[in-house]
Amino acid sequence: MRRETNFLVMAKKGRKKTDLTPREEEVMQMLWDNGPQFVRQLVERYPDPRPHFNTVSTVIRGLEDKGYVTHESIGGSYCYRAARPKEEFRDRSLMQLVKGYFNNNYLGAVSALVEEEKVTVDELKELIAMIENNK
């Protein structure tokens, strides 16, 4: 049991302060997709069983500490909004994925999508056309 505890502590220490937990990412997606919201509205967006208000409130405060969220006081309650664009998070996440799983090789990532039949030949042709048009 002691060994597992040490591993969990190390995993938490290894996480960067700017990395998002899965729960934080869920909340950010809600803010990016639906705009500014109160915690009550965020809770209502979850499927049943919904997390407790205090849980979502804790997550949103963590996001604010990391600089992903800001708030505005409206009628004594806080309305939260995304402080960073979705594209910034998407780009960083993609870079981390390619670096971690494909040895920083984007061609390897695209090849894996082709092998798994996640990308069609027509989509690849469209991608090639986009690349050629940008040159």
Side-chain angles (χ1 to χ4, degrees):
M1 187 70 167
R2 176 95 174 134
R3 186 178 204 170
E4 292 174 335
T5 303
N6 287 339
F7 175 75
L8 291 174
V9 169
M10 286 174 33
K12 286 182 181 180
K13 285 182 182 178
R15 181 183 293 157
K16 294 178 189 170
K17 184 174 167 108
T18 57
D19 288 349
L20 297 182
T21 66
R23 183 65 63 120
E24 288 172 333
E25 190 173 342
E26 277 181 325
V27 170
M28 288 303 300
Q29 288 291 348
M30 288 181 207
L31 292 173
W32 285 322
D33 294 346
N34 303 293
Q37 297 175 69
F38 295 95
V39 172
R40 169 184 44 79
Q41 292 171 307
L42 290 167
V43 171
E44 290 170 2
R45 292 197 180 281
Y46 279 93
D48 287 329
R50 292 183 173 130
H52 192 273
F53 179 94
N54 291 344
T55 301
V56 177
S57 183
T58 299
V59 171
I60 204 90
R61 284 193 312 274
L63 286 166
E64 197 165 26
D65 289 343
K66 291 179 179 182
Y68 282 99
V69 169
T70 62
H71 72 267
E72 176 184 359
S73 182
I74 300 176
S77 294
Y78 289 154
C79 185
Y80 295 92
R81 75 176 63 246
R84 311 263 286 277
K86 185 176 189 174
E87 293 76 19
E88 178 185 322
F89 179 74
R90 179 199 64 204
D91 294 348
R92 185 174 56 239
S93 296
L94 180 59
M95 286 184 345
Q96 289 173 345
L97 176 79
V98 172
K99 181 179 178 184
Y101 291 97
F102 299 99
N103 198 28
N104 221 20
N105 182 331
Y106 283 82
L107 180 59
V110 173
S111 296
L113 293 171
V114 171
E115 287 174 21
E116 294 292 322
E117 298 179 358
K118 305 290 185 194
V119 177
T120 67
V121 172
D122 289 338
E123 289 170 328
L124 286 173
K125 288 178 183 177
E126 186 178 333
L127 180 60
I128 291 168
M130 287 171 53
I131 293 167
E132 289 175 344
N133 288 334
N134 283 336
K135 286 189 175 183

